[in-house]
Amino acid sequence: MGQTLTGLLTSVRAIAGRPGTPAQGRPGGGPDQALLAALRLCGDHLSALAAAGPLTDARRTRLIASIGALTTACSTPGADAFDALLRTGQQALDSGGEAGARLALALADEATALRARSKGAWRLRGNALDALGRGEEAITAYERHLALQQNTAASRDVERRIATLRAAGDRIDEALTLFRAGADTEASGADAEVSGAAARLSRHLPAAEARTAFTDLVRLRTAEHGAGDPAVRRLATLYAEHRRLSDRDPVADPLLGGAEPIGVPGLRRLVAGRTVCLVADTPRTAEQEQRPGSPLAALIEGYDLVVRCDEARHTAPAARTDLHACTLRGDTPWKGPRWDRRAGARLVFGDPLPHWRLALRSRLVPGAQDRVGDATLRRPLHDPALLGEEAGAGPASTAYTVLRLLDFLGTPARVDLIGFEGPAALSPREREWVGTRTANTDDTAVRITLR
């Protein structure tokens, strides 16, 4: 990959820096100046990737491939490179991180300069601004996209996102109105530090800065008047709603298929003091589980919570499932089969956030689950608020992700693995982790003692 990256960077620099390149529409058909600017931006990003060391992230690998396709389109006479430009912008956004989002925004700016009436370009710009936490600017871009979009069904997720961003901004506006009303009635006026926090808060701030200023305002106002003050209680409610809206769309959104959202505290309560088993989806396990009176069926039925992972290929449709967990994989995870098997709770692991949202909207079946894991549970291995591991260790199996999450929560009475051998075996790295916590092994289950 290092040589490929170097060679691609050389090609990008050669085209983007080529002197006297004819503009689009001139005889000779060279790239438009906006495309050349886009290539230079891609070249800068490639340089940063090359300096960062070996590439192990599949999403960045796909981004590099898209830049290669854009480079080829720009160097091919008569080729229309616009679609390649949009694909590269989307891959930059999907690669994650602030640098990827900034590249996506820059490419979207060049795309809108090329074609001001491209709904795809405005959608990309809105998504990039949204990823950077610039909600009010994202709304403007999303509205430009909607003005050009003729397909009403395709517009619904954008309309919902606009509503969410506006609702988050409205919470800030109401908080500031509440503060000003309180400050006007106080004999000595508001404390200078509190006033400073309020002055820093605005719906036009990037999301991270607004969150910090909002946190400071709530903290200082609570310290000043106490948590029992009605205005402070309302302020705290607005803050909590703002935080929820920043992480996900409103609960009323069909995103959750009518189910109750469950976060880390709720999942901890769900598994607290209960015995849990993870059952592998193998022909042998499924056959024994379906056999009336079989020891395995009796064993599984004796657990408080039965967990199954990913798409069931062998397990009977009516098999008991208290918790279903699955991992989104591939470039278009929202196009997979719908989750129509009944489960008490469903956890969906995936990244980036827009793909996770779209997958839930597309694949959840109303009534097929009572609870759905919210955005705080979508990437437990790499979320700094949970396990916070580096992403370079390679993809993890869903079963391993569930085990690590349960271990982190630390509240189940016992967690057992059933049927994880042969084709269902965990990877060597995952087996090593399980081995350090194995308390007992028999023919049917591997019992794990959580730390």
Side-chain angles (χ1 to χ4, degrees):
M1 177 57 71
Q3 292 181 345
T4 302
L5 180 58
T6 302
L8 177 58
L9 180 56
T10 301
S11 299
V12 169
R13 294 298 193 205
I15 297 171
R18 187 180 300 159
T21 303
Q24 190 177 44
R26 294 181 184 177
D32 187 276
Q33 290 301 312
L35 286 173
L36 295 179
L39 276 181
R40 283 191 287 271
L41 292 166
C42 290
D44 294 341
H45 194 77
L46 289 174
S47 296
L49 290 179
L55 292 174
T56 58
D57 190 329
R59 293 174 298 176
R60 291 183 177 180
T61 302
R62 289 193 290 270
L63 170 59
I64 292 170
S66 292
I67 294 175
L70 175 62
T71 305
T72 300
C74 288
S75 61
T76 302
D80 186 355
F82 188 78
D83 287 345
L85 176 60
L86 291 185
R87 284 193 296 271
T88 303
Q90 187 59 52
Q91 291 293 349
L93 190 60
D94 292 348
S95 68
E98 183 176 347
R102 289 190 180 282
L103 175 60
L105 177 58
L107 296 182
D109 287 341
E110 301 300 337
T112 54
L114 278 169
R115 298 184 187 176
R117 294 187 57 78
S118 167
K119 58 181 180 290
W122 286 107
R123 175 70 178 271
L124 176 62
R125 191 172 198 277
N127 288 342
L129 287 165
D130 202 350
L132 290 168
R134 294 159 60 176
E136 294 299 309
E137 294 174 83
I139 289 173
T140 301
Y142 284 146
E143 288 177 334
R144 290 290 299 271
H145 165 80
L146 291 178
L148 297 165
Q149 176 63 269
Q150 302 298 316
N151 186 342
T152 304
S155 303
R156 287 173 186 154
D157 60 333
V158 177
E159 292 170 347
R160 285 193 292 263
R161 188 60 189 153
I162 289 174
T164 298
L165 292 171
R166 281 187 172 144
D170 291 345
R171 301 310 189 272
I172 290 178
D173 288 346
E174 185 179 343
L176 291 174
T177 300
L178 188 67
F179 166 75
R180 295 185 187 110
D184 290 341
T185 60
E186 293 169 11
S188 58
D191 179 88
E193 190 176 6
V194 181
S195 298
R200 292 194 303 274
L201 181 60
S202 167
R203 68 185 298 156
H204 299 284
L205 284 174
E209 296 178 28
R211 190 158 47 243
T212 300
F214 209 158
T215 301
D216 289 343
L217 179 61
V218 173
R219 175 178 56 81
L220 293 169
R221 207 62 171 162
T222 302
E224 189 176 27
H225 294 283
D229 182 80
V232 171
R233 288 203 304 270
R234 178 57 185 161
L235 183 63
T237 299
L238 292 170
Y239 172 75
E241 291 175 356
H242 179 267
R243 289 298 300 265
R244 283 196 296 271
L245 290 165
S246 298
D247 289 335
R248 61 177 184 267
D249 292 343
V251 172
D253 191 327
L255 165 70
L256 297 180
E260 174 191 351
I262 183 172
V264 174
L267 182 61
R268 181 178 282 114
R269 289 192 296 270
L270 179 66
V271 301
R274 311 182 80 179
T275 57
V276 181
C277 71
L278 275 71
V279 182
D281 180 44
T282 65
R284 178 174 177 270
T285 302
E287 188 274 329
Q288 292 186 39
E289 188 179 1
Q290 294 175 57
R291 188 188 307 160
S294 73
L296 183 62
L299 174 68
I300 292 174
E301 190 58 33
Y303 287 91
D304 297 321
L305 282 173
V306 177
V307 181
R308 302 183 195 271
C309 299
D310 298 317
E311 182 182 357
R313 293 180 173 84
H314 308 288
T315 304
R320 174 187 165 195
T321 304
D322 300 304
L323 175 63
H324 173 243
C326 58
T327 301
L328 302 178
R329 305 194 190 279
D331 295 334
T332 55
W334 55 88
K335 294 183 178 179
R338 303 193 76 190
W339 298 307
D340 54 1
R341 285 178 175 253
R342 181 77 181 116
R346 202 177 308 277
L347 301 181
V348 181
F349 306 131
D351 205 31
L353 182 59
H355 284 191
W356 179 84
R357 282 198 185 106
L358 185 54
L360 262 63
R361 292 187 182 117
S362 303
R363 299 176 64 180
L364 279 179
V365 175
Q369 56 281 310
D370 301 319
R371 302 179 181 89
V372 178
D374 66 14
T376 64
L377 288 168
R378 68 184 177 86
R379 49 192 298 268
L381 291 183
H382 309 307
D383 190 335
L386 297 176
L387 292 166
E389 291 187 349
E390 295 293 332
S397 69
T398 303
Y400 178 70
T401 302
V402 172
L403 287 173
R404 294 296 308 275
L405 180 57
L406 293 175
D407 184 43
F408 172 81
L409 296 175
T411 55
R414 192 177 78 225
V415 178
D416 293 351
L417 287 172
I418 296 179
F420 282 86
E421 71 277 334
L426 301 174
S427 70
R429 175 176 69 94
E430 296 172 350
R431 288 200 303 271
E432 181 182 359
W433 183 88
V434 170
T436 62
R437 288 158 174 78
T438 299
N440 180 54
T441 303
D442 56 34
D443 292 337
T444 56
V446 177
R447 309 205 189 289
I448 300 173
T449 301
L450 298 177
R451 63 172 181 265

